[in-house]
């Protein structure tokens, strides 16, 4: 009787997988920045006080759609990329940092959508976009560190 063969998913992402993650991440960043600019710099005074810029809801719609797409991509990383890299102890510090930031972005995004408290909302928003900017800087660092480590392993013969 033969034992079932164990299939090991690769750590390295396919080109299609990378494109999905990169495109959704760029749309997330651009739409978040678009909302931030529209909300903080382009709003005006209306008949009844501060008036939001007309593009604000559109930026949020795009941001929400991109977030859903990104979460699908993130979920698809769990069985291969994340679990294999964790087992191999490859680039796990920056990866854990990104996962922590994404968890905080999910929590604060949920808070922005469902917390109706007008006093908490500005604080949650500020934390959300600060973490978003930090994650936008950490993701390219994670990629560069992973590529550097892979290149070093290939040079020394440790694939």
């Amino acid at each position: 009787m033969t034992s079932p063969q164990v299939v090991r998913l690769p750590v390295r992402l396919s080109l299609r997988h990378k494109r999905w993650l990169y495109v959704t991440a760029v749309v997330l960043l651009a739409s978040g920045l678009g909302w931030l600019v529209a909300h903080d710099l382009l709003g005006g005074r209306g008949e009844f006080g501060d008036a939001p810029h007309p593009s604000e809801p559109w930026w949020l719609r795009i941001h929400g759609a991109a977030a859903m797409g990104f979460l699908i991509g993130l979920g698809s990383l769990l069985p291969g990329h994340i679990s294999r890299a964790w087992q191999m102890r490859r680039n796990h510090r920056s990866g854990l940092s990104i996962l922590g930031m994404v968890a905080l972005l999910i929590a604060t995004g949920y808070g922005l959508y469902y917390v109706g408290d007008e006093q908490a909302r500005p604080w949650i928003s500020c934390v959300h976009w600060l973490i978003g900017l930090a994650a936008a800087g950490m993701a390219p660092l994670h990629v560069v560190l992973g590529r550097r480590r892979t290149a070093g392993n290939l040079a020394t013969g440790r694939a």
Side-chain angles (χ1 to χ4, degrees):
M1 186 163 153
T2 60
S3 62
Q5 214 164 25
V6 175
V7 176
R8 296 209 181 254
L9 297 172
V11 173
R12 178 172 272 200
L13 301 179
S14 69
L15 184 59
R16 181 180 287 169
H17 210 154
K18 283 187 219 178
R19 283 183 183 158
W20 179 271
L21 290 167
Y22 294 168
V23 167
T24 57
V26 166
V27 173
L28 267 174
L29 178 62
S31 59
L33 289 173
W35 176 84
L36 196 59
V37 168
H39 182 75
D40 289 342
L41 300 177
L42 302 178
R45 298 286 297 162
E47 189 176 336
F48 302 104
D50 289 340
H53 190 267
S55 68
E56 279 188 52
W58 289 102
W59 288 119
L60 289 177
R61 289 177 186 125
I62 294 167
H63 195 67
M68 288 182 231
F70 184 80
L71 288 174
I72 290 168
L74 178 69
S76 71
L77 292 177
L78 292 171
H81 183 76
I82 293 173
S83 66
R84 289 284 293 143
W86 184 258
Q87 291 169 355
M88 299 167 74
R89 292 288 188 240
R90 284 194 180 167
N91 213 10
H92 61 284
R93 286 187 185 104
S94 63
L96 278 175
S97 297
I98 291 173
L99 285 175
M101 286 185 223
V102 169
L104 289 171
L105 287 167
I106 292 167
T108 54
Y110 180 88
L112 285 168
Y113 198 77
Y114 290 108
V115 173
D117 183 358
E118 291 304 314
Q119 290 178 327
R121 197 171 225 314
W123 289 101
I124 296 170
S125 177
C126 185
V127 169
H128 187 76
W129 66 259
L130 284 172
I131 295 170
L133 290 174
M138 180 56 88
L141 177 64
H142 178 70
V143 172
V144 167
L145 291 173
R147 287 182 181 166
R148 185 183 303 160
R149 171 124 191 205
T150 301
N153 286 347
L154 292 174
T156 60
R158 295 182 299 167

